[in-house]
Amino acid sequence: MSEGWEEKFFGKEEKRRKDEELLKTVEEVFDAFTLQALYKLINKKVIDVLYGVVDTGKESRVYWAKSPQGEDLAVKIFLTSTREFKKTVLQYIDGDPRFEKIRRDTRHIVYAWALKEFKNLERAYEVGVSVPRPIAVHKNIIVMTFIGENGVPAPLLKDAEVSDYEEMFWRVVDNIKALYRKAKIVHADLSEYNIMVWKENPVFFDFGQAVLTSHPNADLFLERDVKNIVGFFKKRGIEVEATSVLAEILGC
Ligand SMILES: Nc1ncnc2c1ncn2[C@@H]1O[C@H](COP(=O)(O)OP(=O)(O)O)[C@@H](O)[C@H]1O
Ligand SMILES: [Mg+2]
């Protein structure tokens, strides 16, 4: 047999083992469509291997993964059957034969949600807002760069050790401003829970609910975001009025 045979063989074996592990990790949680979507991202060489779960939420799970180039990835997978959502929908369609396709519809609403988050992330990234780099979106799965190290995500602002809160505050404000003025979006769920701190810099994430500045409630959401941030930093000794920060962002 030719040289390198074992390596090749074990390479394949390793790949099979990895696939099995991937299945073990996710098959209890996800339906066949999600598994298919994951395999598509693997075949497209976006994801090489999926490691452990980083965070389990009501509507999504975030996994640490690696690209074939060895880059750390965060893979956010939206659950296609959240309890409340299903309950609401089922109230209206249970037992009605016209709605046999409701499962499909439910999934497609979730796909649209994932796409929305990805597009918002792209807009933010393109104008230089500090966010994870968006890499791919497919069905209910978003792939972006992993913020953190060795599968450990960067601390959230609420838990992070910050040496200079004043500096951090203005960095956060600068990012809100760039989001509003350049990307023309408002995060709309901004707080110390949706900002990580990595290498002394704030990193915004979780853009699912972000809206365009043309949205009728955009300025209301902006005000809420700013109040959350000002409230958090106030507890850390930074005394700045929300109104003056808003004026700074809006440029008036
Ligand atoms: N790009 C990323 N890199 C590292 N960790 C991440 C990344 N995106 C999300 N996380 C982790 O996953 C958690 C949940 O992500 P998030 O987008 O806020 O989901 P949810 O919509 O469920 O709130 C975050 O608090 C963070 O710890
Ligand atoms: Mg969140």
Side-chain angles (χ1 to χ4, degrees):
M1 234 168 254
S2 65
E3 243 178 12
W5 171 85
E6 269 180 304
E7 201 178 279
K8 266 192 200 142
F9 176 79
F10 284 115
K12 250 197 188 147
E13 183 60 21
E14 170 77 359
K15 167 116 181 43
R16 195 183 59 76
R17 197 177 53 74
K18 276 200 263 179
D19 283 354
E20 273 175 9
E21 273 173 15
L22 167 68
L23 275 174
K24 250 189 270 160
T25 318
V26 295
E27 73 183 350
E28 282 142 43
V29 187
F30 298 114
D31 59 12
F33 295 101
T34 301
L35 292 178
Q36 235 172 48
L38 260 176
Y39 278 116
K40 176 92 178 211
L41 287 165
I42 291 169
N43 288 335
K44 282 189 357 197
K45 307 242 179 291
V46 175
I47 300 172
D48 180 44
V49 59
L50 201 71
Y51 298 113
V53 69
V54 170
D55 190 83
T56 307
K58 226 172 22 185
E59 282 142 19
S60 73
R61 291 188 153 210
V62 178
Y63 290 85
W64 170 41
K66 287 251 186 211
S67 76
Q69 291 76 34
E71 188 184 10
D72 282 327
L73 306 173
V75 178
K76 185 171 181 178
I77 308 183
F78 290 87
L79 305 178
T80 48
S81 55
T82 69
R83 234 183 309 129
E84 291 99 293
F85 190 66
K86 226 177 182 169
K87 246 199 312 202
T88 316
V89 176
L90 283 177
Q91 262 181 312
Y92 296 94
I93 53 92
D94 243 1
D96 188 327
R98 289 174 306 168
F99 294 103
E100 275 167 0
K101 285 190 172 167
I102 190 60
R103 277 233 163 119
R104 202 183 124 87
D105 293 341
T106 311
R107 273 201 345 265
H108 280 86
I109 291 166
V110 176
Y111 295 171
W113 185 255
L115 188 61
K116 182 177 178 236
E117 170 154 353
F118 188 81
K119 296 230 167 205
N120 286 333
L121 198 58
E122 269 186 334
R123 277 178 91 113
Y125 181 78
E126 276 161 15
V127 301
V129 175
S130 176
V131 295
R133 179 166 55 83
I135 294 173
V137 59
H138 183 58
K139 304 272 170 84
N140 55 328
I141 303 174
I142 293 176
V143 184
M144 59 194 142
T145 50
F146 188 88
I147 309 297
E149 225 163 23
N150 300 323
V152 180
L156 302 177
L157 177 59
K158 75 179 180 77
D159 304 316
E161 264 181 47
V162 175
S163 56
D164 186 342
Y165 274 102
E166 171 117 35
E167 177 76 33
M168 183 58 72
F169 175 72
W170 290 109
R171 284 184 186 175
V172 169
V173 171
D174 279 348
N175 279 288
I176 301 175
K177 191 164 151 184
L179 259 188
Y180 189 86
R181 292 221 203 154
K182 295 187 187 159
K184 302 212 180 316
I185 55 178
V186 174
H187 185 287
D189 190 25
L190 201 63
S191 73
E192 60 273 29
Y193 290 83
N194 278 333
I195 299 175
M196 287 183 257
V197 176
W198 189 237
K199 298 182 176 153
E200 302 279 319
N201 267 308
V203 182
F204 290 15
F205 65 99
D206 201 1
F207 277 80
Q209 65 300 307
V211 297
L212 298 178
T213 52
S214 56
H215 186 282
N217 290 332
D219 285 1
L220 220 69
F221 292 147
L222 177 68
E223 196 180 323
R224 199 178 58 191
D225 283 355
V226 167
K227 281 186 173 158
N228 284 343
I229 294 304
V230 164
F232 170 77
F233 279 95
K234 195 169 187 172
K235 288 185 276 173
R236 300 291 191 273
I238 307 301
E239 291 280 350
V240 182
E241 288 302 318
T243 46
S244 69
V245 176
L246 267 170
E248 157 85 23
I249 291 164
L250 296 165
C252 53

